[in-house]
Amino acid sequence: MLNINDLEWPGIKFIDPSCRTGRYKKKFYKAFLPCAKDILLDFKNKKILETLYAENLIPETTKSKIKVDGFIEIYRQKTENYNVKSKYWPTTLSKEACLAYIKLNQTLLKYGYGCIDGHTNNFIIQRNSKPLWCDIGSFIPTNNYPYIGLNEFIKCMLYPLILRSQGEIFDPLMREALDGKIPINLMKKVTGVDIAYAGTRENILKHLENFTNTLTFDWKKTTWSEYYTDENISQSFNINNCRAINWKNEPRKLVISRLLKILNPKTVIDLGSNAGVFSIMAATNGAEVLSVEPDDAAACKFLKNIQNKDKGIKIKIMVDKVGNGHEKRGELALALALTHHMFFTHEYRLPIIARELASHTSNSLITEFMPMGLGKLKPIPDPLPENYNLTILTNELTKYFKNVEIIDYDMPKNRAKRILILCTNKISDSALRKIKPEIRPT
């Protein structure tokens, strides 16, 4: 029997009347209080949790053998290495989460239950970028509460989508609203939409489902949203078994594919992933992948292309830029076709680029140097700056990795020249402090 103080209890407030979330030995548990006795009996007799899992609405949830003083039952939910907060979801994933919440409540209603909560923090992203509701402690009988959770859902999930549907210019505001930071009255004024509901919970949920399905989103065409066509992306999958195809006619992809097999990382972060060709390649090699792409349109296109594929691969898509490496890090970081854009477009110096890329990995990095800068067959700009060269970049990378290797290979004609850089055996933060105190640990 564990003492209540043996677990960590995240959060500063507990809204759920019958359950608490605790962490023990890096695993998360749902701990039910004695007042939840009847609810737990329903879970068991009606197989509610099994049904929700089968319908892809909650993560795999099983009763745990551990006992905690003051609680009558403990459940453990399966977790994965990466999760993505709602602020960084592709827009279309936010819509999918809205529909998932409605479907969750429609299924619960069949058993006389509903969610007391309606905010995005109770969603985790698992499997193939699937939003799953993790807070099973928020399920309560709806007998005396026909509208439970709906006000919060409309404020924190539906109104942000309505706002985004009115134009891409509202994207930053939508992302703040998904965290519940904008009052509902303000959202009504900004969107010009006043959502009111009455009647049975079943009819309200159906109305919300129909309304959510009508929401559409537009994006301006950008270099990145059109960088790959749908046909390019589909080539990354063998539709039947989701294994990487043979890249013998694509030397760059062939080399990267072989490196992935040699390194065999369990976790990969793909920086500037765009359509996710290399994310898919890493995932089909067995890694769990966090695919980071700053362009929402490109991220949504990638999401659409992977969601109906093999459920056995694990790719999470995050709309964000390079940086904050402590929050998004893998055993391997991929930073392909990226350094020249960081240098010329965002005006990062190569030492800063090396530091930022290194911050995203605990062990290895595969990156590229474009000797023509932004050009294809001729340098752009011409001449290239003296502080943009391969030697400077590799020298900077040696400050963070014990091994830095240049991999040159023949490129097809009329293709921009690329030089692969493989960095392995990252120097630990503590070693960096001792050996090179002028370098900020990553």
Side-chain angles (χ1 to χ4, degrees), residues 214-426:
T214 66
L215 297 176
T216 58
F217 316 101
D218 294 321
W219 294 269
K220 292 179 181 178
K221 287 188 177 181
T222 66
T223 300
W224 310 117
S225 65
E226 303 300 312
Y227 196 73
Y228 285 99
T229 66
D230 289 341
E231 285 138 13
N232 293 140
I233 301 167
S234 66
Q235 288 177 9
S236 302
F237 279 108
N238 179 308
I239 301 300
N240 294 324
N241 57 19
C242 201
R243 292 178 180 174
I245 65 175
N246 188 347
W247 299 105
K248 62 181 180 180
N249 295 321
E250 295 277 355
R252 175 174 176 249
K253 293 175 182 176
L254 177 61
V255 171
I256 294 170
S257 177
R258 287 176 175 173
L259 289 175
L260 286 169
K261 292 184 188 308
I262 293 169
L263 296 171
N264 196 28
K266 293 182 179 178
T267 57
V268 173
I269 180 164
D270 186 5
L271 301 168
S273 59
N274 196 265
V277 171
F278 296 104
S279 291
I280 295 167
M281 191 182 290
T284 55
N285 194 57
E288 182 179 338
V289 180
L290 180 61
S291 183
V292 182
E293 171 52 49
D295 188 280
D296 183 51
C300 288
K301 181 179 284 190
F302 180 28
L303 179 68
K304 179 182 176 181
N305 276 279
I306 67 170
Q307 283 196 322
N308 294 324
K309 309 302 181 185
D310 193 312
K311 301 300 188 295
I313 67 172
K314 297 177 181 178
I315 300 176
K316 317 296 189 301
I317 303 174
M318 184 178 197
V319 179
D320 198 12
K321 59 185 179 180
V322 175
N324 297 325
H326 64 284
E327 294 181 359
K328 40 186 188 289
R329 179 182 283 197
E331 288 182 20
L332 169 67
L334 295 174
L336 303 166
L338 185 62
T339 56
H340 58 309
H341 291 296
M342 293 179 71
F343 185 92
F344 292 106
T345 305
H346 300 287
E347 299 182 347
Y348 285 88
R349 294 179 296 109
L350 290 180
I352 303 301
I353 293 172
R355 185 188 71 193
E356 291 301 314
L357 297 186
S359 73
H360 287 282
T361 179
S362 59
N363 188 32
S364 305
L365 166 71
I366 300 176
T367 189
E368 286 179 311
F369 182 79
M370 309 290 281
M372 295 296 173
L374 296 173
K376 186 176 181 181
L377 302 178
K378 295 181 180 180
I380 297 177
D382 190 5
L384 293 168
E386 290 184 2
N387 63 340
Y388 179 78
N389 67 67
L390 179 61
T391 301
I392 293 177
L393 180 58
T394 53
N395 285 344
E396 290 298 324
L397 288 169
T398 59
K399 296 178 180 179
Y400 301 94
F401 299 91
K402 294 179 181 178
N403 303 315
V404 176
E405 180 182 356
I406 295 173
I407 302 176
D408 207 350
Y409 55 93
D410 293 330
M411 288 291 294
K413 293 181 179 179
N414 299 320
R415 294 279 189 93
K417 176 68 174 176
R418 302 167 186 263
I419 299 173
L420 276 174
I421 306 172
L422 172 63
C423 307
T424 54
N425 295 322
K426 187 183 176 186

Side-chain angles (χ1 to χ4, degrees), residues 88-197:
Y88 302 105
W89 290 348
T91 297
T92 49
L93 184 58
S94 299
K95 179 178 178 178
E96 186 178 340
C98 273
L99 293 170
Y101 180 84
I102 294 168
K103 183 180 178 182
L104 173 72
N105 278 274
Q106 288 172 329
T107 301
L108 285 171
L109 188 59
K110 297 175 183 178
Y111 304 99
Y113 283 83
C115 288
I116 195 172
D117 296 331
H119 55 79
T120 58
N121 290 334
N122 280 337
F123 275 103
I124 56 176
I125 307 303
Q126 288 193 358
R127 305 172 192 171
N128 216 5
S129 284
K130 186 74 176 175
L132 303 174
W133 188 265
C134 66
D135 190 6
I136 60 174
S138 66
F139 303 159
I140 66 170
T142 57
N143 298 336
N144 300 318
Y145 309 97
Y147 304 141
I148 59 166
L150 298 183
N151 278 338
E152 189 171 44
F153 164 72
I154 290 169
K155 173 193 173 185
C156 298
M157 298 186 68
L158 190 53
Y159 264 121
L161 275 188
I162 295 171
L163 182 64
R164 175 59 183 82
S165 72
Q166 296 178 353
E168 189 178 7
I169 191 173
F170 294 110
D171 182 88
L173 190 58
M174 173 200 72
R175 297 186 181 281
E176 291 300 316
L178 284 169
D179 278 345
K181 294 180 180 178
I182 301 179
I184 192 168
N185 288 334
L186 179 58
M187 293 296 289
K188 291 179 180 180
K189 291 181 180 179
V190 173
T191 61
V193 177
D194 187 355
I195 298 177
Y197 53 83

